[in-house]
Amino acid sequence: MLPGMNPRKMKQMMKQLGMDIKPIEDVQEIVITTPTGRYVFDQAEVAVMKMQGVVTWQITGEPRFEEADAVIPEEDVALVAEQANVPSEAAKAALVETKGDIAEAILRLSS
C-alpha cells in the first residue's frame, strides 16, 4: 500500500483499474517441478491477482530445492555392467551415485 493512503481508497483505486487481489488461505505446500528438480515451499503466502482479464498467481516465501533423481537409460546400465564386469544392479547403483556419469561409474566399479 502507498504510504499515507487509507485501505478503502486503495481498494477503490484498484477496482477502478480493474484489479482484484484475493489471498488463498491455509496454503500448506506449493511444489514447482522442473527437469532438474523441485522447488518446495512449505510455508508460503499466495495471492491471485486479476487485472484486465489476466490472472497472475503470486507466491511469497522461501523454497527449498530437491534435486531430481537421475534418469538412467538401460543402455547405459548395460554398457557399465559390461565394461566393469559387474551385475546390472551394481552398474545401475554406480550410475545413480555418479548422476549418470558413465565413465565415473566404470572407474568406481573397476577400482
Side-chain angles (χ1 to χ4, degrees):
M1 184 176 341
L2 298 174
M5 183 174 284
N6 72 41
R8 185 177 295 160
K9 181 98 170 153
M10 181 66 128
K11 274 191 166 189
Q12 184 180 12
M13 284 179 56
M14 289 171 54
K15 189 174 183 178
Q16 288 174 345
L17 292 171
M19 183 186 295
D20 183 30
I21 299 175
K22 292 198 183 337
I24 304 296
E25 301 295 333
D26 300 323
V27 174
Q28 295 183 9
E29 181 180 71
I30 297 169
V31 179
I32 300 172
T33 305
T34 70
T36 59
R38 299 166 11 121
Y39 295 89
V40 181
F41 294 80
D42 293 314
Q43 304 269 326
E45 293 180 18
V46 180
V48 180
M49 180 173 66
K50 295 178 187 175
M51 185 169 159
Q52 299 176 347
V54 176
V55 178
T56 303
W57 291 75
Q58 178 181 322
I59 302 169
T60 305
E62 191 65 38
R64 61 185 156 81
F65 184 73
E66 297 176 350
E67 206 168 304
D69 292 333
V71 176
I72 310 296
E74 285 303 315
E75 302 84 41
D76 292 359
V77 174
L79 176 63
V80 171
E82 180 184 330
Q83 293 295 315
N85 197 28
V86 296
S88 295
E89 296 79 22
K92 185 162 187 168
L95 283 163
V96 168
E97 189 176 304
T98 61
K99 297 183 180 165
D101 186 326
I102 294 171
E104 181 66 27
I106 292 169
L107 285 172
R108 286 186 185 191
L109 290 167
S110 298
S111 59

